[in-house]
Amino acid sequence: MNIAKNLLQIKTELPETVRLLAVSKLQPESRIWAAYHKGQRIFGESRAQELLPKHANLPKDIEWHFVGHLQINKLKQIAPFIDTIQSIDSLKLLETADRAAGKFNRKINVLLQVHIAQEETKFGFSFDEIEDFFKSGLFLSFENLTFSGLMGMATLTDDREQIRKEFNSLAVLFQKIKADYFAWNDTFKELSMGMSGDYPIAVEEGCTMVRIGSKIFGAR
Ligand SMILES: *Cc1c(COP(=O)(O)O)cnc(C)c1O
């Protein structure tokens, strides 16, 4: 697995407006180092118990994003250093993240995960829940969180049109929320969609960040 070559190839494909999150879950630290040495600084993990030692051992200028289903009781462990939680899928998690960030006197960026796939197993809010949440104004009450955008995972399928439809619907929702509630500032700016198997479609549909694991690091 030539991590340097994989990274370079993906980066040449991505427009300048799209940031790359290297999803390093279940990968050894040696592979993270390989990407780090090629300039990669944003890494994603999906389990707190795996993220904690990696954060402790690896360089402190890495920007860590959490991308998996996060248990409430894990928040205070990652709150001291996590840059962004991309997988916010409940109000309870938001409230707990806000309190945990406050305790450590810092701000945590959050993306709300939207359920765009047909599969029932994927976490996330429905489109209506997202609209209702912002309409309620509740988002203004979380002092220690920055609402940075939305995240979604498409259905695992070979049907490219299905994937495109799902990404497009998320992009439309993202633009609407941005226009309706964040017109006065640019904090709500991240549309995180696209993984190893489908990121070119996500780029075409207007994402600002792709989350790529196996295509950089190899199979897990
Ligand atoms: C694992 C994971 C990825 C990366 O998946 P690959 O197919 O290896 O690129 C992206 N996003 C989330 C939420 C993940 O859990």
Side-chain angles (χ1 to χ4, degrees):
M1 189 45 57
N2 192 332
I3 291 169
K5 185 163 147 265
N6 296 344
L7 250 188
L8 185 66
Q9 197 202 314
I10 292 167
K11 278 194 185 153
T12 12
E13 280 174 35
L14 292 177
E16 260 175 50
T17 50
V18 178
R19 297 204 295 158
L20 171 62
L21 174 71
V23 179
S24 51
K25 65 183 184 199
L26 302 175
Q27 302 287 357
E29 288 172 14
S30 58
R31 293 193 186 168
I32 299 179
W33 272 114
Y36 182 89
H37 285 313
K38 287 292 155 194
Q40 181 67 27
R41 291 294 181 272
I42 318 177
F43 291 90
E45 289 284 335
S46 62
R47 292 191 213 164
Q49 63 268 40
E50 194 184 335
L51 171 56
L52 292 173
K54 283 177 173 172
H55 167 260
N57 297 339
L58 291 161
K60 291 297 170 273
D61 63 343
I62 288 180
E63 182 182 312
W64 291 104
H65 288 219
F66 201 88
V67 296
H69 177 61
L70 181 55
Q71 287 168 297
I72 302 274
N73 63 5
K74 295 292 190 315
L75 259 164
K76 57 175 190 300
Q77 297 175 302
I78 65 167
F81 66 88
I82 197 79
D83 180 89
T84 303
I85 301 171
Q86 295 211 4
S87 43
I88 296 284
D89 56 9
S90 72
L91 276 181
K92 183 94 202 289
L93 195 54
L94 270 181
E95 287 158 6
T96 316
D98 187 43
R99 250 179 288 128
K103 205 169 283 174
F104 294 100
N105 225 340
R106 54 190 304 268
K107 280 217 158 198
I108 296 176
N109 300 309
V110 291
L111 306 187
L112 301 183
Q113 183 171 352
V114 188
H115 185 276
I116 60 171
Q118 285 176 326
E119 292 129 8
E120 280 179 18
T121 51
K122 292 195 174 143
F123 293 99
F125 293 101
S126 70
F127 284 71
D128 284 347
E129 285 171 329
I130 296 285
E131 294 230 43
D132 290 348
F133 173 71
F134 284 104
K135 201 179 288 169
S136 74
L138 203 56
F139 67 102
L140 298 168
S141 65
F142 297 97
E143 289 179 8
N144 309 302
L145 303 179
T146 301
F147 286 84
S148 313
L150 303 178
M151 184 272 259
M153 289 168 86
T155 305
L156 196 60
T157 172
D158 291 332
D159 183 347
R160 314 308 281 175
E161 281 319 302
Q162 175 66 29
I163 294 170
R164 183 178 301 282
K165 219 168 59 192
E166 292 171 3
F167 284 155
N168 181 262
S169 64
L170 184 57
V172 169
L173 178 67
F174 170 73
Q175 291 301 344
K176 181 172 193 304
I177 300 295
K178 189 174 161 63
D180 289 354
Y181 303 101
F182 296 92
W184 68 91
N185 69 30
D186 59 2
T187 54
F188 193 85
K189 59 179 176 359
E190 211 76 87
L191 178 56
S192 170
M193 56 187 200
M195 312 184 358
S196 291
D198 56 20
Y199 71 90
I201 306 176
V203 169
E204 285 170 13
E205 294 303 325
C207 71
T208 65
M209 177 178 276
V210 290
R211 310 179 308 271
I212 301 183
S214 44
K215 198 155 179 197
I216 298 172
F217 297 112
R220 289 181 288 269

